[in-house]
Amino acid sequence: MAKEKMSDIFTGNHSLLITDVVVGDKPVDILIDETGVIAAIGEGIRRQHRDEAEFVIDGNKAIALPGCVNTHTHAAMTLLRGYADDMILQDWLTRKIWPLEAHLTGSDVYWGTRLACLEMIRTGTTAFNDMYFFMEDAARAVEEAGIRAVLSYGFIDLGNAEKRENEYRATENLVKHIRSLNNPRIMPAVGPHAVYTVSPDGLRWCAEFAREEKIRIHIHLAETEKEVTDCTAQHGRRPPALLDECGVLTPLTIAAHCCWLDDAECSLLGKRGVNASHNPASNMKLATGRAMPCAALARAGANVCLGTDGCASNNSLDMFEEVKTAALLQKFFWNDPTVLPAPAALAMANVAGARALGCGTGTLAEGVPADLVLVSSRVACNTPLHHSPSNLVYSCSGAAVETTICNGRVLMLNREIPGDEEVLTRAARAAHDLVRRTSAV
Ligand SMILES: [Zn+2]
């Protein structure tokens, strides 16, 4: 019997007892304490701990999973969802995306990020790795939404020394700001955009600053063939060699895309312990022409994780859809149906993601942060349930997620998220006004 009103469950951290869920093939209960940690997990927990918990959630045989970790996105790009599709990458960027982004305000980024957090919570994601602009506003959105995030300012100097100085200050200011929030859910990172937008001097500064501050580096790497040929023409070396020379490849580096890598480059990333974020939907939509060599990277020792990229090139932040896309793309591109089997694909979305972002273990165990989701087993996509990883990867979308808990706090309960209507209304209005401002020029 719950001792409090159920709607109060959303008000902050409480001790929670989740009964009657399934982990692996076992029926278990989960006890979460008020500090946001899993205090106990196993069969029969409810008998020992029912009276301790402020709230009891009836899991109703749902599948309990660690929350998904989205290791590469640009959250506020939700405002650009469906604004420009089916175009050549360069036209898409120069004619549609960049002109719109030139009109972005801090308020737009706040509402765009709130919308992204809402979508992520609804589809079972509890942490994400973000790179964009007006990141102080993104941090406020993350703080209020209750999710976890690693936030970096998109550092772009285009080889211009004056611009580079501005980017140094913007990066330092964001890190200082995030540290001042003193919120364990929000971590700063350094975000050199890519080798084609940041000079070697800028890259070296980013690597050095990240090392001094002991924070992560978030970068795009080898997304397109053009990036590789341009880099070779300009710098006399391919992107991974250039990044390595500048000190950017480290165990705290998250490199997004990593499509156009040869075997030696996979080995290099493995040797440096880099986290390689696979973004299959974005790569397919923008026709980058090559899939990440996931198996070679994993064999070499890189941590292969998963991301959606921004909503303008996906156009969804649903990690369950992304897991399926990853498994299918890997099989199709490498012409081998045994590549990336369901349990491994799922582990990319939680265990590998948590390791990449340094947020917990991406597992459900005693003593780890309670970042977890409950996926309904009483839905068509989970009926029958011969082998739950197969259902979760190949049949389910995020729509099957019923309940989302981050750091022990309930963010969605039985599909209910308080305040969701306001976020939808305000984000739609911000997107509409942004397009109007852009076309008025
Ligand atoms: Zn990206």
Side-chain angles (χ1 to χ4, degrees):
M1 201 38 206
K3 295 166 196 155
E4 311 277 344
K5 229 176 40 241
M6 211 55 189
S7 58
D8 288 342
I9 202 169
F10 295 112
T11 55
N13 274 80
H14 306 279
S15 54
L16 306 168
L17 176 65
I18 306 171
T19 60
D20 196 22
V21 292
V22 178
V23 174
D25 287 331
K26 292 195 184 72
V28 301
D29 306 322
I30 302 172
L31 182 72
I32 299 170
D33 69 21
E34 52 290 307
T35 68
V37 167
I38 296 179
I41 179 167
E43 235 176 311
I45 298 287
R46 79 189 86 169
R47 284 192 295 279
Q48 305 153 34
H49 297 283
R50 182 172 283 276
D51 292 336
E52 286 170 36
E54 279 178 82
F55 290 96
V56 177
I57 297 172
D58 179 2
N60 197 19
K61 303 202 164 23
I63 303 164
L65 279 180
C68 295
V69 180
N70 186 345
T71 56
H72 177 65
T73 192
H74 313 284
M77 288 185 94
T78 48
L79 298 187
L80 282 63
R81 192 198 314 268
Y83 172 67
D85 296 314
D86 316 317
M87 296 174 74
I88 300 288
L89 176 65
Q90 210 54 30
D91 287 351
W92 177 77
L93 279 175
T94 56
R95 291 201 204 151
K96 292 297 217 175
I97 302 302
W98 289 342
L100 204 73
E101 285 185 337
H103 289 85
L104 272 178
T105 64
S107 168
D108 293 335
V109 168
Y110 170 79
W111 286 111
T113 308
R114 282 300 301 264
L115 177 60
C117 292
L118 175 63
E119 186 178 0
M120 288 189 265
I121 291 164
R122 222 173 243 309
T123 53
T125 291
T126 51
F128 68 103
N129 186 30
D130 199 28
M131 178 202 290
Y132 213 53
F133 318 108
F134 299 104
M135 295 308 285
E136 284 81 357
D137 297 278
R140 189 160 54 92
V142 171
E143 196 159 38
E144 291 169 14
I147 197 170
R148 263 182 227 282
V150 174
L151 304 178
S152 54
Y153 167 77
F155 183 117
I156 294 178
D157 69 10
L158 304 173
N160 176 319
E162 197 182 321
K163 193 156 170 39
R164 189 152 53 243
E165 284 297 325
N166 292 337
E167 301 300 81
Y168 294 162
R169 299 297 89 80
T171 299
E172 288 167 344
N173 289 341
L174 177 66
V175 173
K176 210 181 296 170
H177 175 75
I178 289 179
R179 292 212 194 281
S180 77
L181 298 175
N182 199 20
N183 183 334
R185 286 190 287 103
I186 309 178
M187 292 183 278
V190 182
H193 177 267
V195 294
Y196 55 93
T197 43
V198 185
S199 64
D201 282 346
L203 291 169
R204 267 188 289 272
W205 182 89
C206 287
E208 182 59 27
F209 183 67
R211 201 173 58 81
E212 279 168 15
E213 294 283 334
K214 299 186 175 58
I215 55 179
R216 287 176 163 69
I217 301 173
H218 183 188
I219 191 166
H220 297 90
L221 172 60
E223 180 176 3
T224 63
E225 190 173 21
K226 185 177 183 323
E227 175 184 334
V228 178
T229 47
D230 288 357
C231 183
T232 308
Q234 200 184 342
H235 302 289
R237 43 186 75 53
R238 289 163 57 99
L242 179 64
L243 291 186
D244 197 37
E245 229 173 70
C246 296
V248 175
L249 300 182
T250 80
L252 291 185
T253 301
I254 299 138
H257 301 300
C258 298
C259 302
W260 291 85
L261 300 179
D262 61 25
D263 284 346
E265 290 166 339
C266 290
S267 298
L268 174 65
L269 264 62
K271 210 156 90 188
R272 298 284 181 262
V274 168
N275 305 281
S277 175
H278 189 21
N279 294 241
S282 171
N283 296 157
M284 290 165 77
K285 186 159 184 266
L286 292 168
T288 54
R290 196 166 188 271
M292 178 197 264
C294 282
L297 278 164
R299 262 198 313 274
N303 179 40
V304 180
C305 47
L306 192 65
T308 57
D309 208 350
C311 239
S313 62
N314 187 304
N315 302 354
S316 144
L317 301 175
D318 183 337
M319 285 287 284
F320 283 86
E321 284 184 7
E322 205 67 32
V323 171
K324 176 173 183 174
T325 309
L328 299 188
L329 176 62
Q330 287 296 314
K331 292 170 202 310
F332 180 77
F333 187 82
W334 300 103
N335 197 22
D336 180 355
T338 69
V339 167
L340 204 57
L346 207 53
M348 271 170 74
N350 46 48
V351 179
R355 180 175 152 200
L357 301 199
C359 56
T361 54
T363 57
L364 300 182
E366 210 176 295
V368 308
D371 290 11
L372 63 95
V373 301
L374 305 183
V375 180
S376 177
S377 60
R378 307 180 76 80
V379 283
C381 68
N382 280 326
T383 308
L385 202 55
H386 294 302
H387 180 233
S388 68
S390 296
N391 291 68
L392 292 165
V393 172
Y394 296 119
S395 311
C396 287
S397 73
V401 176
E402 288 181 324
T403 293
T404 300
I405 296 173
C406 179
N407 204 30
R409 185 172 160 196
V410 178
L411 304 181
M412 175 168 80
L413 180 66
N414 297 320
R415 303 293 291 164
E416 184 192 347
I417 302 176
D420 59 341
E421 284 294 334
E422 192 200 1
V423 173
L424 295 177
T425 305
R426 297 293 299 266
R429 193 187 306 161
H432 181 261
D433 290 351
L434 176 61
V435 171
R436 216 192 40 208
R437 286 199 305 277
T438 309
S439 49
V441 177

